[in-house]
Amino acid sequence: MQGWHSQRLLESGDVTDPIIVKDKGLSSTPKQKNLKNIGVQKQKTPAGMDLVLSHETDKQSIAEVIDVGPPADWVKITVRETKDCFEIFALVPGLLREEVRVQSDPAGRLVIAGQPEQLDNPWGITPFKKVVNFPARIDPLHTSAVVSLHGRLFVRVPFEQ
């Protein structure tokens, strides 16, 4: 027995068999829509330098992230400003705690560096060094950093008192 969905109704009122369209290939990827540009132009930054913007309770902080050495686009860094510190979230997948170094200085710079033990790894993890420049002076003695098991780095950088 066929259901109503397996038949096709013509304009003349006649009922016919459904139109069956066969796939011409085995594509498992879904079709993607092309999104229209809504008028916001992406600003270009010099190679190896990113501006990180974040909003927290109507505050805007701008931190400049610079690649020192070969670019490491696989390392993602987000900076957020709170009332008493900067919070940095970085994704460094594939690196262990011992392979990541974080250094800070009072002038408002934070250096995040990574050196994998195996340089010829199949995952494309390369040595990197990124410098985060803050718009304010920081307290390097109270800076704390934690690397999780899955390559998530959290750094808390308090303002200078």
Side-chain angles (χ1 to χ4, degrees):
M1 181 171 158
Q2 295 181 350
W4 62 271
H5 59 278
S6 65
Q7 297 178 347
R8 196 176 72 150
L9 182 63
L10 299 176
E11 288 180 14
S12 63
D14 296 334
V15 178
T16 64
D17 291 328
I19 297 175
I20 299 172
V21 179
K22 294 183 180 181
D23 285 342
K24 299 219 177 200
L26 297 174
S27 68
S28 61
T29 58
K31 292 183 180 179
Q32 297 178 356
K33 292 183 179 179
N34 290 333
L35 300 177
K36 292 182 180 179
N37 186 355
I38 59 173
V40 178
Q41 295 292 327
K42 185 176 179 182
Q43 295 180 355
K44 293 188 177 187
T45 56
M49 182 180 1
D50 297 323
L51 292 178
V52 181
L53 298 174
S54 65
H55 301 281
E56 179 76 19
T57 64
D58 294 336
K59 286 187 179 179
Q60 182 177 7
S61 69
I62 299 176
E64 185 179 58
V65 180
I66 301 171
D67 273 317
V68 178
D73 294 335
W74 58 274
V75 178
K76 304 297 180 194
I77 296 178
T78 304
V79 179
R80 184 172 67 178
E81 182 179 350
T82 63
K83 63 180 180 179
D84 61 344
C85 69
F86 290 106
E87 293 179 342
I88 297 90
F89 300 92
L91 296 177
V92 288
L95 292 178
L96 300 173
R97 183 180 325 164
E98 299 82 25
E99 298 171 334
V100 178
R101 289 187 53 182
V102 177
Q103 296 175 317
S104 61
D105 64 9
R109 290 186 334 164
L110 181 78
V111 178
I112 302 172
Q115 178 71 35
E117 289 181 8
Q118 297 177 353
L119 294 177
D120 58 343
N121 59 59
W123 304 283
I125 300 170
T126 58
F128 72 92
K129 185 175 184 180
K130 291 192 179 262
V131 177
V132 181
N133 291 318
F134 298 110
R137 293 185 62 83
I138 60 174
D139 185 1
L141 298 177
H142 292 100
T143 298
S144 61
V146 177
V147 179
S148 75
L149 180 64
H150 300 291
R152 290 179 296 211
L153 171 66
F154 173 74
V155 184
R156 184 179 184 280
V157 183
F159 299 135
E160 186 177 57
Q161 307 248 346

